[in-house]
Structure formats: structure tokens, C-alpha cells
Amino acid sequence: MFLRFREDVIKTLGEYGDEKFLRESEHSDLASTVAFKLAKEMKKSPKEIADEIVEKIEVESDYIGSVESTNGYINFFASYEFLEDTISVILDEDENYGHLNAKGEILIEHTSANPDGPLHIGHIRNSIIGDTIARIFSKAGMDVKTHYYVNDMGRQVAITVLGVEKLGLKDKKPDHAIAEAYIGANRLIETQPELEEYVENLMLEYERGNEDIVSKFRKAVETALSGIRQTLESINIKHDEFIWESEFIRNGYVDKVIRDLEEKNLIKKEGAWTIELEELEKGVVVRRENGTTLYITRDLAYHLWKNENYNRFINVLGADHKLYASQLSKILMTLGLKPPEIIFFEFVSLPEGSMSTRRGKFISADELIERVKEETEKILADREMDEEEKRKISEAVAVGAIRFDFVKVAPEKPMVFDWSKALDFERQTASYIQYSHARACSILRKAVEEGMPDLDFRGELCTAEERKLVMVLSKLPYFIQRVIKELRPNVFAEYLLSVASTFNDFYRLHPVLRAKSELRMHRLAIVDATRIVLRNGLELLGIEPLERM
RNA sequence: GGACCCGUAGCCUAGCAGGACAGGGCGUGGGCCUCCUAAGCCCAAGGUCGCGGGUUCGAAUCCCGCCGGGUCCGCCA
């Protein structure tokens, strides 16, 4: 709804309608700062110019109630009609509210952690960003597929295979068992360097397709993935497909990419095969002297496949992949292929330094989830609820807290993980939004018990807080559009927090159930619309919208 | 050595297509449940927006330099 208001403002401004100068403002519903920009060339004060523009323009939109010039700003205010349409559209569209007319398919690759152990708290930053983006694209109307790219050909997997052979697998959650074998094997290699050669041979045989070795790799990777899947599922994340790197060896895509590179005369063959491009600061090896391929070779093949099957594809990658990704993209472009759109996120580190699966220095996502859940259970311990409900609520709140904590931080900010903060429920987190949603539900539940009247929102009945709340509610599609354009899911988290906070301002000052007749119908409409926005918003963040808590 | 990211009150964080008093939260001090869920709300104190230059009528936001933290520069993935 806000999107249409915005469009109308741009149209109304005509030649002054450059969206670069539009600002959301606390002084109006939308403001333009064009007058400041024009001040110089027109040799007039911004105030004069703004006055003139306001004088000149003609408002034809039903959604624009008034326009004012203040200190050089041109302030637009939404009309009652806009507010009324907003509420009626929300109530009408219900679970669809927020959709845009986005069309087409999109592939989102995220998480893609090496299958050498459980996901740790750095990996799930990736997962949560990727999953949230996927949900938001899907809401916008696009047909989204998600991929987990499985690095089954890496050295770490070979080491894992060695670990399983030498040390076996402990009886614990499969991904954790794999980590133990992996960490153990790394220690073995340190003391027995001759194992290096064995590991290299495993890699060679795996690439060649030696059946015995292939089944060992498969088994190790599947074992790790089954645990990883469980973890992801526990925080409401599910991939449509797991794509194994080795598939691109077996299905000919690697050969195809190599051929394309050869045809363009991009490969220099001196023992190893190297791509040398001006744009690349260094040569990139795509084939070892022993004839095997490298990670980037398979990734190029994967991206060739993506090009053939999708118009848009997004990868969520840790910032440590920046150089690698730029090499990949440059090579793809010289092949005339589209590079992926990439969301980079900075590292999650521990107070004592960065994490490492190999050294066993990490906090697993499972441990985080477990401990946060214990904390939420404590909070619920003395509530009068049956145990089953308590369990469900504490789980939903725990998962919400974790997802929100990661998604709310801008991807480019490095994070330092802190247990005391992760477990602190006094902090404003997802539970605040879930609570606001439950509050709205509770009011509506009681209204139904008392015989729900027809909802009838009326613009002219709005108090300042009600008006503000409705304006915020009107922005859901606008924020969905922003996330899609900017690929920054944290702006959506921020938005949802503002919905909850604005609703709480309304709640404090406006009795709903005790209000009389038309005011009661009016406010119930606002509460219901808020409930819908909070519910849809929480779902986009992968957080369960609880009706009671 | 080269490249990239981050640096906002005691702590965490928003804002960074330059513009109306730098928003929140935690923590601190004080207050609010005969009233729709107090996982809530209100009030107060707390800021050289890392430092120094520059561009501009105007800089947290753009440019340059420096400092601090992180990351990357493998025939690893």
C-alpha cells in the first residue's frame, strides 16, 4: 500500500520526483529533499524552492491527503482513504499480504558447509540469511529453489574418510560423530605424515570414480549431512536440493567448462592448467598436474549449470570467499556467462578467536539451540500450562531468538559470539515480536468470545498513534521490496520490530474491548490487521507466530 | 607487502543513493499490574558517530591519510 502512495508522490512531484530525494520521515509520511539539491543552480533558498514546488504541483492521488513545505522539505501526508484502503487490503489479503508482483524463478544457494562435522554458529549465520532471503523472495511472488552445495570432493572429506577407517564412528548425532573422526584423523596426520599420501590417493580415486572409494565417501558425507539436516530443520530451514560437487565431474559439466575455456584460449598448460586473465591478479589453476580438478573447476561447472537453468541465482557466502568469488565471477564473465549475485557476511568469532572445525574449536548450532531452549524452559517453568504447550512455546521462542539474533545484524558486520547475550531474554528479541502477536491474538480471541462485531476501520477516527500504526502496517510490501533489491534481510528484522513497538504504543493508550460500538469495531480492525502483519512478518523470518505465550 | 570489511554512550546495534534534534535495546536510577498477556510500558542520566585532514550552504554518511579489530592473497575448500 505504501508502495502506491510512494508512486503517487513521485508522480505528483513530476519533474521533481526523483526517488533519490524521497525520505521516510518523522515529520510526515514521505518527504522530498529536492529543494536542497536545486538551491544552488536556482540560486534560491531551499525554502523558497520548496514553497514554489508545493504551489505548482497538483495532487490527483486519492492517497495523498496534503502537501506542505517546511524548511525546504516537501512533506506529503497520506489521506484517510489511504489508511482505509490499507486496512481493508490487509484484512482481505490476509496471509498473502506482502506479496509483490515479482515473477520468475530464482535459485538461492546457502549454507553449503563442508560435510566434515556439525554446523557451528558461523555456518548458521549463512543459513539464516539465506533462508530468510528465500522466504522473502517467495513471498514477493517468485518461484524460489534452494540449494545446499555439498563439497564432497574436498581434502577434508578425504581426511574424514581416513578418520572413519582408522577410528570408526562413535554412537552420537551423526554430524558430531563425523567431526570427531575428522578431528582425530587430523591429529593422526600430524604424527604420521605418511598418511598425507594416502589422503591424496583417496581424493584421486574418488575423482576417478573408484567404486569402493566412492561408497566410502558417500557414506561419510551422507552421515554428516543427515546430522546437518536435522540441525537445519530444528531452526526451520529446509533445502529443496543437496547438489554434490562430484555430480559435475560425473555429468560432464566439468569437461564442458574446460572445453569452453580451451576454445577461448584461456588455458595455459604447463603441467597444471592455469587460467590467466588480465582482470585476475594471479593465475587460477583449474586442473592439477595429476589430472584432477579443483574446487573452482567444479564450481565453474555448477555455475554453468545455473546459467542454463536460471535467470537469477544468489549465493550466500562468508567474507573469506570474497577473492575466490571475484575470480569465479570474472572467469564466468569472460565465458559470456552470468556471475552469481552474492550476499557476503562477515565472520562469527568467539571471544577467544575464530572457530575451526579441524581443531575442534567451535560452538555447534546444536549446543546453542539446546542451551537457549533450556533458558526458555526456565522462564515458562511456573506458568499454568500443560507440559506439551510449554515445550512447544519454549522451542518456538528459542528458535525465534536465535534466528532473530543473527538476522538482525547487518551481514557486513563481524559478530563476536557471547553466551551471556545469547541466553539473555531481557533483551529485545524475537520474543518481543512474538509476544506482541500473542497479545493481538488474545484481544481478538476475547472479542470472538463476546461475539465478534463486523470490523469497520474509519480513517477519521484515528488517533495519532493509530494513524502511525496503520502507516507502519502499510509498509510490509515496501520492506519486502527493499530486501529483494538490497539483499539485506536485517532491514526486515528492523521493520518487524518497529511494527511490534508501534503496536505496543497503541495498546498502552487505546482500550479495544472496552471501547464503545464504532470505536471498538475500528480498533478491532487495527488489531486484526496488526496481527496479520506480525504473523506474516514472523513467518518470513522463519519464526513461529505464537498465539499464546 | 597488496586487497576487502568493520569501528556509533559501559555493552550490543540502526541510520551510510549528504539534509529537520544520531534512532533502538541491554545495563544503571526512578515509576506503572482492582484495567484487553508486566516476555509489557513510562521517565531520567549516558554520545568528541575511532583519530586527523578535505569536498560541501550542510558530513555518522562522500574523498584522502592514520590507528584499532577481522578476513583473504595454495596444483586447499
Side-chain angles (χ1 to χ4, degrees), chain A residues 26 36 73 75 282 288 413 428 432 435 439 442 446 507-508 510:
Chain A
E26 50 204 296
F36 290 94
Y73 293 85
N75 285 318
K282 263 182 156 182
R288 293 187 185 93
K413 299 263 189 191
Q428 182 171 340
Y432 175 80
Y435 183 72
R439 230 177 198 180
S442 165
K446 291 207 163 104
Y507 176 89
R508 174 169 56 94
H510 303 76

Short mmCIF file of all heavy atoms in Angstrom, two decimals, chain A residues 26 36 73 75 282 288 413 428 432 435 439 442 446 507-508 510, chain B residues 5 7 11 14 19-21 25 36-38 40-41 74-76:
data_model
loop_
_atom_site.label_atom_id
_atom_site.label_comp_id
_atom_site.label_asym_id
_atom_site.label_seq_id
_atom_site.Cartn_x
_atom_site.Cartn_y
_atom_site.Cartn_z
N GLU A 26 9.96 11.45 10.16
CA GLU A 26 9.11 11.50 11.35
C GLU A 26 8.18 12.71 11.29
O GLU A 26 7.25 12.84 12.06
CB GLU A 26 9.97 11.57 12.61
CG GLU A 26 11.03 12.63 12.52
CD GLU A 26 12.21 12.34 13.43
OE1 GLU A 26 11.98 12.32 14.64
OE2 GLU A 26 13.33 12.12 12.92
N PHE A 36 16.71 21.15 -1.67
CA PHE A 36 18.09 21.40 -1.23
C PHE A 36 19.05 21.26 -2.39
O PHE A 36 20.00 21.99 -2.54
CB PHE A 36 18.47 20.41 -0.13
CG PHE A 36 17.76 20.67 1.17
CD1 PHE A 36 16.59 20.00 1.47
CD2 PHE A 36 18.26 21.59 2.07
CE1 PHE A 36 15.93 20.24 2.66
CE2 PHE A 36 17.61 21.84 3.27
CZ PHE A 36 16.43 21.16 3.57
N TYR A 73 11.84 21.23 3.11
CA TYR A 73 11.35 19.87 2.86
C TYR A 73 9.95 19.95 2.28
O TYR A 73 9.17 20.83 2.67
CB TYR A 73 11.26 19.07 4.16
CG TYR A 73 12.60 18.79 4.78
CD1 TYR A 73 13.20 19.74 5.61
CD2 TYR A 73 13.26 17.59 4.52
CE1 TYR A 73 14.44 19.50 6.17
CE2 TYR A 73 14.49 17.35 5.09
CZ TYR A 73 15.08 18.31 5.91
OH TYR A 73 16.30 18.05 6.46
N ASN A 75 6.71 17.95 2.38
CA ASN A 75 6.13 16.87 3.18
C ASN A 75 4.78 16.41 2.64
O ASN A 75 3.87 17.21 2.43
CB ASN A 75 5.95 17.34 4.62
CG ASN A 75 7.27 17.38 5.36
OD1 ASN A 75 8.09 16.47 5.22
ND2 ASN A 75 7.50 18.43 6.13
N LYS A 282 46.22 -13.02 -10.38
CA LYS A 282 47.06 -14.21 -10.36
C LYS A 282 46.44 -15.27 -11.25
O LYS A 282 45.23 -15.26 -11.46
CB LYS A 282 47.06 -14.80 -8.94
CG LYS A 282 48.22 -14.42 -8.08
CD LYS A 282 48.09 -15.11 -6.76
CE LYS A 282 49.47 -15.22 -6.12
NZ LYS A 282 49.44 -15.94 -4.86
N ARG A 288 45.02 -30.00 -11.86
CA ARG A 288 46.32 -30.26 -11.28
C ARG A 288 47.19 -31.03 -12.28
O ARG A 288 46.69 -31.59 -13.25
CB ARG A 288 46.20 -31.11 -10.01
CG ARG A 288 45.52 -30.41 -8.85
CD ARG A 288 45.63 -31.29 -7.61
NE ARG A 288 44.90 -30.71 -6.50
CZ ARG A 288 43.63 -31.00 -6.21
NH1 ARG A 288 42.96 -31.88 -6.94
NH2 ARG A 288 43.02 -30.42 -5.20
N LYS A 413 28.68 -6.79 9.16
CA LYS A 413 29.27 -6.59 10.49
C LYS A 413 29.83 -7.90 11.03
O LYS A 413 29.13 -8.90 11.07
CB LYS A 413 28.19 -6.13 11.49
CG LYS A 413 27.55 -4.84 11.13
CD LYS A 413 28.17 -3.70 11.86
CE LYS A 413 27.32 -2.46 11.63
NZ LYS A 413 27.96 -1.25 12.06
N GLN A 428 15.61 -7.25 23.87
CA GLN A 428 14.54 -7.17 22.90
C GLN A 428 14.86 -8.04 21.70
O GLN A 428 15.74 -7.76 20.93
CB GLN A 428 14.38 -5.73 22.44
CG GLN A 428 13.26 -5.55 21.46
CD GLN A 428 13.01 -4.09 21.19
OE1 GLN A 428 13.39 -3.24 21.95
NE2 GLN A 428 12.37 -3.82 20.08
N TYR A 432 9.86 -10.51 21.77
CA TYR A 432 9.11 -9.26 21.87
C TYR A 432 8.05 -9.18 20.77
O TYR A 432 6.92 -8.79 20.99
CB TYR A 432 10.10 -8.09 21.75
CG TYR A 432 9.50 -6.71 21.72
CD1 TYR A 432 9.11 -6.08 22.90
CD2 TYR A 432 9.35 -6.04 20.51
CE1 TYR A 432 8.58 -4.80 22.88
CE2 TYR A 432 8.82 -4.77 20.48
CZ TYR A 432 8.43 -4.15 21.65
OH TYR A 432 7.91 -2.88 21.62
N TYR A 435 5.49 -11.92 21.33
CA TYR A 435 4.62 -11.50 22.43
C TYR A 435 3.57 -10.51 21.94
O TYR A 435 2.40 -10.60 22.31
CB TYR A 435 5.48 -10.87 23.52
CG TYR A 435 4.70 -10.46 24.74
CD1 TYR A 435 4.21 -11.42 25.61
CD2 TYR A 435 4.44 -9.12 25.01
CE1 TYR A 435 3.49 -11.05 26.74
CE2 TYR A 435 3.72 -8.75 26.13
CZ TYR A 435 3.24 -9.72 26.98
OH TYR A 435 2.53 -9.35 28.09
N ARG A 439 -0.40 -11.02 21.99
CA ARG A 439 -1.26 -10.02 22.59
C ARG A 439 -2.42 -9.66 21.66
O ARG A 439 -3.57 -9.60 22.09
CB ARG A 439 -0.42 -8.74 22.80
CG ARG A 439 -0.51 -8.19 24.15
CD ARG A 439 0.40 -6.99 24.23
NE ARG A 439 0.63 -6.72 25.63
CZ ARG A 439 1.39 -5.73 26.09
NH1 ARG A 439 2.02 -4.95 25.24
NH2 ARG A 439 1.53 -5.55 27.37
N SER A 442 -4.78 -12.46 21.55
CA SER A 442 -5.56 -12.57 22.77
C SER A 442 -6.76 -11.62 22.75
O SER A 442 -7.87 -11.98 23.15
CB SER A 442 -4.65 -12.29 23.95
OG SER A 442 -5.39 -12.05 25.10
N LYS A 446 -10.74 -12.84 22.64
CA LYS A 446 -11.78 -12.40 23.59
C LYS A 446 -12.94 -11.74 22.86
O LYS A 446 -14.09 -11.89 23.24
CB LYS A 446 -11.17 -11.42 24.59
CG LYS A 446 -10.21 -12.13 25.52
CD LYS A 446 -10.10 -11.44 26.85
CE LYS A 446 -9.49 -12.37 27.87
NZ LYS A 446 -8.08 -12.06 28.15
N TYR A 507 -1.40 -0.07 22.01
CA TYR A 507 -2.00 -0.92 23.03
C TYR A 507 -2.10 -0.21 24.38
O TYR A 507 -3.10 -0.28 25.08
CB TYR A 507 -1.14 -2.18 23.15
CG TYR A 507 -1.58 -3.13 24.24
CD1 TYR A 507 -2.52 -4.11 23.97
CD2 TYR A 507 -1.03 -3.05 25.52
CE1 TYR A 507 -2.91 -4.99 24.96
CE2 TYR A 507 -1.42 -3.93 26.51
CZ TYR A 507 -2.36 -4.90 26.22
OH TYR A 507 -2.75 -5.76 27.19
N ARG A 508 -1.05 0.46 24.72
CA ARG A 508 -0.99 1.14 26.01
C ARG A 508 -2.07 2.22 26.13
O ARG A 508 -2.69 2.38 27.17
CB ARG A 508 0.39 1.80 26.15
CG ARG A 508 0.58 2.68 27.36
CD ARG A 508 2.04 3.04 27.50
NE ARG A 508 2.58 3.68 26.30
CZ ARG A 508 2.63 5.00 26.12
NH1 ARG A 508 2.18 5.82 27.04
NH2 ARG A 508 3.14 5.50 25.01
N HIS A 510 -4.86 2.72 24.04
CA HIS A 510 -6.19 2.52 23.47
C HIS A 510 -6.86 1.25 23.91
O HIS A 510 -6.51 0.17 23.44
CB HIS A 510 -6.10 2.51 21.94
CG HIS A 510 -5.49 3.73 21.36
ND1 HIS A 510 -4.13 3.97 21.39
CD2 HIS A 510 -6.05 4.80 20.74
CE1 HIS A 510 -3.89 5.13 20.80
NE2 HIS A 510 -5.03 5.66 20.40
P C B 5 35.40 -2.54 1.16
OP1 C B 5 34.22 -1.99 0.45
OP2 C B 5 36.53 -1.66 1.50
"O5'" C B 5 34.92 -3.25 2.51
"C5'" C B 5 33.83 -4.16 2.47
"C4'" C B 5 33.67 -4.79 3.83
"O4'" C B 5 34.88 -5.53 4.17
"C3'" C B 5 33.53 -3.82 5.00
"O3'" C B 5 32.21 -3.32 5.10
"C2'" C B 5 33.90 -4.72 6.17
"O2'" C B 5 32.87 -5.61 6.47
"C1'" C B 5 35.07 -5.49 5.58
N1 C B 5 36.38 -4.86 5.87
C2 C B 5 36.92 -5.02 7.15
O2 C B 5 36.29 -5.68 7.99
N3 C B 5 38.12 -4.46 7.43
C4 C B 5 38.77 -3.76 6.51
N4 C B 5 39.95 -3.22 6.83
C5 C B 5 38.23 -3.56 5.19
C6 C B 5 37.05 -4.13 4.92
P G B 7 31.01 0.19 11.20
OP1 G B 7 29.64 0.47 11.69
OP2 G B 7 31.56 0.93 10.05
"O5'" G B 7 32.03 0.34 12.43
"C5'" G B 7 31.68 -0.21 13.73
"C4'" G B 7 32.76 0.25 14.70
"O4'" G B 7 34.02 -0.17 14.13
"C3'" G B 7 32.82 1.77 14.84
"O3'" G B 7 32.19 2.32 15.99
"C2'" G B 7 34.30 2.11 14.82
"O2'" G B 7 34.80 2.45 16.10
"C1'" G B 7 34.98 0.84 14.33
N9 G B 7 35.75 1.06 13.10
C8 G B 7 35.32 0.93 11.81
N7 G B 7 36.24 1.18 10.93
C5 G B 7 37.37 1.48 11.69
C6 G B 7 38.68 1.84 11.31
O6 G B 7 39.14 1.95 10.18
N1 G B 7 39.50 2.07 12.41
C2 G B 7 39.10 1.99 13.71
N2 G B 7 40.03 2.25 14.64
N3 G B 7 37.88 1.65 14.10
C4 G B 7 37.07 1.41 13.04
P C B 11 32.04 0.07 25.88
OP1 C B 11 33.32 -0.47 25.38
OP2 C B 11 31.37 1.18 25.15
"O5'" C B 11 31.00 -1.13 26.01
"C5'" C B 11 31.45 -2.46 26.26
"C4'" C B 11 30.29 -3.41 26.09
"O4'" C B 11 29.18 -2.97 26.93
"C3'" C B 11 29.68 -3.42 24.69
"O3'" C B 11 30.41 -4.24 23.80
"C2'" C B 11 28.29 -3.96 24.97
"O2'" C B 11 28.28 -5.35 25.20
"C1'" C B 11 27.95 -3.24 26.27
N1 C B 11 27.25 -1.96 26.01
C2 C B 11 25.90 -1.99 25.64
O2 C B 11 25.34 -3.09 25.54
N3 C B 11 25.26 -0.83 25.40
C4 C B 11 25.90 0.33 25.51
N4 C B 11 25.21 1.45 25.26
C5 C B 11 27.28 0.39 25.87
C6 C B 11 27.91 -0.76 26.12
P A B 14 23.93 -2.74 12.78
OP1 A B 14 23.76 -3.65 11.64
OP2 A B 14 25.21 -2.03 12.98
"O5'" A B 14 22.76 -1.66 12.73
"C5'" A B 14 21.42 -2.10 12.58
"C4'" A B 14 20.49 -0.93 12.47
"O4'" A B 14 20.52 -0.13 13.68
"C3'" A B 14 20.79 0.10 11.40
"O3'" A B 14 20.40 -0.36 10.12
"C2'" A B 14 19.91 1.25 11.86
"O2'" A B 14 18.56 1.04 11.51
"C1'" A B 14 20.05 1.16 13.37
N9 A B 14 20.98 2.16 13.89
C8 A B 14 22.25 1.98 14.37
N7 A B 14 22.82 3.10 14.78
C5 A B 14 21.85 4.07 14.54
C6 A B 14 21.83 5.45 14.75
N6 A B 14 22.85 6.13 15.26
N1 A B 14 20.70 6.12 14.39
C2 A B 14 19.69 5.44 13.88
N3 A B 14 19.59 4.13 13.63
C4 A B 14 20.72 3.50 14.00
P G B 19 21.20 12.59 4.21
OP1 G B 19 22.00 11.54 4.81
OP2 G B 19 19.76 12.43 4.10
"O5'" G B 19 21.45 13.94 4.98
"C5'" G B 19 20.71 14.19 6.15
"C4'" G B 19 20.39 15.68 6.19
"O4'" G B 19 20.82 16.29 4.98
"C3'" G B 19 18.90 15.98 6.31
"O3'" G B 19 18.66 16.51 7.61
"C2'" G B 19 18.60 17.07 5.26
"O2'" G B 19 18.11 18.26 5.88
"C1'" G B 19 19.98 17.39 4.73
N9 G B 19 20.09 17.76 3.32
C8 G B 19 19.82 17.04 2.20
N7 G B 19 20.13 17.68 1.09
C5 G B 19 20.62 18.89 1.54
C6 G B 19 21.12 20.00 0.83
O6 G B 19 21.25 20.12 -0.37
N1 G B 19 21.51 21.01 1.67
C2 G B 19 21.43 20.97 3.05
N2 G B 19 21.85 22.04 3.71
N3 G B 19 20.98 19.95 3.73
C4 G B 19 20.59 18.95 2.92
P A B 20 18.56 15.56 8.87
OP1 A B 20 19.89 15.45 9.48
OP2 A B 20 17.76 14.34 8.59
"O5'" A B 20 17.68 16.51 9.81
"C5'" A B 20 18.12 17.83 10.15
"C4'" A B 20 16.92 18.56 10.65
"O4'" A B 20 16.00 18.66 9.54
"C3'" A B 20 16.16 17.78 11.73
"O3'" A B 20 16.61 17.99 13.06
"C2'" A B 20 14.70 18.19 11.49
"O2'" A B 20 14.31 19.30 12.27
"C1'" A B 20 14.68 18.58 10.02
N9 A B 20 13.89 17.68 9.15
C8 A B 20 14.23 16.46 8.64
N7 A B 20 13.31 15.92 7.86
C5 A B 20 12.29 16.87 7.87
C6 A B 20 11.03 16.92 7.25
N6 A B 20 10.55 15.96 6.46
N1 A B 20 10.25 17.99 7.48
C2 A B 20 10.72 18.95 8.27
N3 A B 20 11.90 19.03 8.90
C4 A B 20 12.63 17.95 8.66
P C B 21 17.07 19.62 13.64
OP1 C B 21 16.16 19.92 14.77
OP2 C B 21 17.17 20.50 12.49
"O5'" C B 21 18.55 19.41 14.23
"C5'" C B 21 19.00 18.10 14.48
"C4'" C B 21 18.82 17.82 15.96
"O4'" C B 21 17.43 18.04 16.32
"C3'" C B 21 19.05 16.37 16.33
"O3'" C B 21 20.42 16.10 16.54
"C2'" C B 21 18.22 16.20 17.59
"O2'" C B 21 18.87 16.69 18.72
"C1'" C B 21 17.01 17.08 17.26
N1 C B 21 15.89 16.29 16.70
C2 C B 21 14.75 16.02 17.49
O2 C B 21 14.71 16.46 18.64
N3 C B 21 13.74 15.31 16.99
C4 C B 21 13.81 14.83 15.75
N4 C B 21 12.77 14.12 15.28
C5 C B 21 14.95 15.06 14.91
C6 C B 21 15.96 15.79 15.44
P G B 25 14.27 1.37 23.68
OP1 G B 25 12.92 1.17 24.26
OP2 G B 25 15.11 2.49 24.15
"O5'" G B 25 15.11 0.04 23.83
"C5'" G B 25 14.55 -1.21 23.40
"C4'" G B 25 15.60 -2.28 23.44
"O4'" G B 25 16.68 -1.92 22.53
"C3'" G B 25 16.31 -2.47 24.77
"O3'" G B 25 15.55 -3.24 25.67
"C2'" G B 25 17.57 -3.19 24.32
"O2'" G B 25 17.32 -4.53 24.00
"C1'" G B 25 17.90 -2.42 23.04
N9 G B 25 18.79 -1.29 23.33
C8 G B 25 18.49 0.04 23.31
N7 G B 25 19.51 0.80 23.64
C5 G B 25 20.55 -0.10 23.89
C6 G B 25 21.90 0.11 24.29
O6 G B 25 22.46 1.19 24.50
N1 G B 25 22.59 -1.07 24.43
C2 G B 25 22.06 -2.32 24.23
N2 G B 25 22.87 -3.35 24.42
N3 G B 25 20.80 -2.55 23.85
C4 G B 25 20.12 -1.40 23.71
P C B 36 -7.16 -6.50 32.08
OP1 C B 36 -7.50 -7.85 32.57
OP2 C B 36 -5.82 -5.96 32.38
"O5'" C B 36 -7.36 -6.45 30.51
"C5'" C B 36 -8.46 -7.17 29.92
"C4'" C B 36 -8.20 -7.40 28.46
"O4'" C B 36 -8.30 -6.15 27.75
"C3'" C B 36 -6.80 -7.90 28.09
"O3'" C B 36 -6.79 -9.31 28.22
"C2'" C B 36 -6.63 -7.46 26.65
"O2'" C B 36 -7.04 -8.46 25.73
"C1'" C B 36 -7.61 -6.29 26.52
N1 C B 36 -6.96 -5.01 26.21
C2 C B 36 -7.61 -4.15 25.31
O2 C B 36 -8.67 -4.51 24.81
N3 C B 36 -7.05 -2.96 25.01
C4 C B 36 -5.89 -2.63 25.57
N4 C B 36 -5.39 -1.45 25.26
C5 C B 36 -5.20 -3.49 26.49
C6 C B 36 -5.78 -4.67 26.77
P U B 37 -5.46 -10.18 27.75
OP1 U B 37 -5.48 -10.09 26.30
OP2 U B 37 -5.52 -11.47 28.44
"O5'" U B 37 -4.16 -9.36 28.26
"C5'" U B 37 -3.79 -9.38 29.62
"C4'" U B 37 -2.38 -9.94 29.71
"O4'" U B 37 -2.29 -11.10 28.87
"C3'" U B 37 -1.29 -8.99 29.22
"O3'" U B 37 -0.58 -8.58 30.38
"C2'" U B 37 -0.38 -9.84 28.32
"O2'" U B 37 0.95 -9.89 28.84
"C1'" U B 37 -0.95 -11.24 28.49
N1 U B 37 -0.90 -12.12 27.33
C2 U B 37 0.15 -13.01 27.32
O2 U B 37 1.03 -13.04 28.18
N3 U B 37 0.13 -13.87 26.25
C4 U B 37 -0.79 -13.93 25.25
O4 U B 37 -0.68 -14.78 24.38
C5 U B 37 -1.84 -12.97 25.35
C6 U B 37 -1.86 -12.10 26.36
P A B 38 0.10 -7.19 30.56
OP1 A B 38 -0.64 -6.61 31.68
OP2 A B 38 0.21 -6.47 29.27
"O5'" A B 38 1.57 -7.51 31.09
"C5'" A B 38 2.65 -7.65 30.19
"C4'" A B 38 3.92 -7.81 31.01
"O4'" A B 38 4.14 -6.57 31.73
"C3'" A B 38 3.80 -8.90 32.07
"O3'" A B 38 5.02 -9.59 32.20
"C2'" A B 38 3.52 -8.14 33.36
"O2'" A B 38 4.04 -8.77 34.50
"C1'" A B 38 4.28 -6.85 33.10
N9 A B 38 3.73 -5.72 33.86
C8 A B 38 2.63 -4.96 33.62
N7 A B 38 2.42 -4.02 34.51
C5 A B 38 3.47 -4.18 35.40
C6 A B 38 3.82 -3.50 36.57
N6 A B 38 3.12 -2.48 37.05
N1 A B 38 4.92 -3.91 37.22
C2 A B 38 5.62 -4.93 36.73
N3 A B 38 5.39 -5.65 35.63
C4 A B 38 4.29 -5.22 35.01
P G B 40 9.40 -7.43 27.43
OP1 G B 40 10.10 -7.04 26.20
OP2 G B 40 10.03 -7.26 28.74
"O5'" G B 40 7.98 -6.69 27.46
"C5'" G B 40 7.18 -6.61 26.29
"C4'" G B 40 6.00 -5.73 26.57
"O4'" G B 40 5.37 -6.17 27.80
"C3'" G B 40 6.36 -4.27 26.86
"O3'" G B 40 6.51 -3.55 25.67
"C2'" G B 40 5.14 -3.82 27.66
"O2'" G B 40 4.03 -3.62 26.84
"C1'" G B 40 4.91 -5.05 28.54
N9 G B 40 5.68 -4.96 29.78
C8 G B 40 6.75 -5.73 30.15
N7 G B 40 7.24 -5.39 31.32
C5 G B 40 6.43 -4.34 31.74
C6 G B 40 6.47 -3.57 32.93
O6 G B 40 7.25 -3.67 33.88
N1 G B 40 5.48 -2.59 32.95
C2 G B 40 4.57 -2.39 31.95
N2 G B 40 3.71 -1.42 32.14
N3 G B 40 4.52 -3.12 30.83
C4 G B 40 5.47 -4.06 30.80
P C B 41 7.52 -2.36 25.56
OP1 C B 41 7.54 -1.93 24.16
OP2 C B 41 8.77 -2.72 26.26
"O5'" C B 41 6.77 -1.26 26.43
"C5'" C B 41 5.57 -0.68 25.95
"C4'" C B 41 5.03 0.24 27.00
"O4'" C B 41 4.84 -0.49 28.24
"C3'" C B 41 5.94 1.38 27.41
"O3'" C B 41 5.93 2.43 26.47
"C2'" C B 41 5.32 1.77 28.74
"O2'" C B 41 4.10 2.47 28.56
"C1'" C B 41 5.02 0.40 29.34
N1 C B 41 6.13 -0.08 30.18
C2 C B 41 6.28 0.48 31.46
O2 C B 41 5.47 1.34 31.82
N3 C B 41 7.30 0.07 32.24
C4 C B 41 8.14 -0.86 31.81
N4 C B 41 9.12 -1.23 32.63
C5 C B 41 8.02 -1.44 30.51
C6 C B 41 7.01 -1.03 29.73
P G B 74 48.13 -17.70 -2.56
OP1 G B 74 48.33 -18.22 -1.18
OP2 G B 74 49.27 -17.25 -3.36
"O5'" G B 74 47.36 -18.70 -3.47
"C5'" G B 74 47.04 -19.76 -3.76
"C4'" G B 74 47.76 -21.08 -3.85
"O4'" G B 74 48.21 -21.50 -2.57
"C3'" G B 74 46.74 -22.11 -4.36
"O3'" G B 74 47.05 -22.68 -5.63
"C2'" G B 74 46.47 -23.03 -3.17
"O2'" G B 74 46.49 -24.35 -3.54
"C1'" G B 74 47.55 -22.67 -2.15
N9 G B 74 46.95 -22.48 -0.82
C8 G B 74 46.51 -21.34 -0.22
N7 G B 74 46.01 -21.52 0.97
C5 G B 74 46.14 -22.89 1.18
C6 G B 74 45.76 -23.68 2.30
O6 G B 74 45.23 -23.31 3.35
N1 G B 74 46.07 -25.02 2.08
C2 G B 74 46.65 -25.54 0.95
N2 G B 74 46.85 -26.84 0.93
N3 G B 74 46.99 -24.79 -0.10
C4 G B 74 46.72 -23.49 0.09
P C B 75 48.66 -22.97 -6.05
OP1 C B 75 49.53 -23.26 -4.93
OP2 C B 75 49.17 -22.19 -7.17
"O5'" C B 75 48.20 -24.36 -6.63
"C5'" C B 75 46.90 -24.58 -7.01
"C4'" C B 75 46.77 -26.08 -7.15
"O4'" C B 75 47.47 -26.47 -8.33
"C3'" C B 75 47.37 -26.81 -5.96
"O3'" C B 75 46.36 -27.71 -5.54
"C2'" C B 75 48.59 -27.56 -6.52
"O2'" C B 75 48.67 -28.91 -6.12
"C1'" C B 75 48.32 -27.54 -8.03
N1 C B 75 49.49 -27.42 -8.90
C2 C B 75 49.80 -28.55 -9.64
O2 C B 75 49.13 -29.57 -9.51
N3 C B 75 50.84 -28.48 -10.51
C4 C B 75 51.53 -27.35 -10.63
N4 C B 75 52.52 -27.34 -11.50
C5 C B 75 51.23 -26.19 -9.85
C6 C B 75 50.20 -26.27 -9.01
P C B 76 46.29 -28.44 -4.20
OP1 C B 76 47.55 -29.00 -3.68
OP2 C B 76 45.17 -29.31 -4.53
"O5'" C B 76 45.80 -27.34 -3.18
"C5'" C B 76 44.47 -26.91 -3.22
"C4'" C B 76 43.78 -27.34 -1.96
"O4'" C B 76 44.11 -26.39 -0.92
"C3'" C B 76 42.28 -27.34 -2.03
"O3'" C B 76 41.81 -28.54 -2.60
"C2'" C B 76 41.93 -27.21 -0.56
"O2'" C B 76 42.08 -28.46 0.10
"C1'" C B 76 43.01 -26.25 -0.06
N1 C B 76 42.58 -24.84 -0.08
C2 C B 76 41.91 -24.33 1.05
O2 C B 76 41.71 -25.09 2.00
N3 C B 76 41.51 -23.05 1.07
C4 C B 76 41.74 -22.27 0.02
N4 C B 76 41.35 -21.00 0.08
C5 C B 76 42.41 -22.75 -1.14
C6 C B 76 42.80 -24.03 -1.15
#
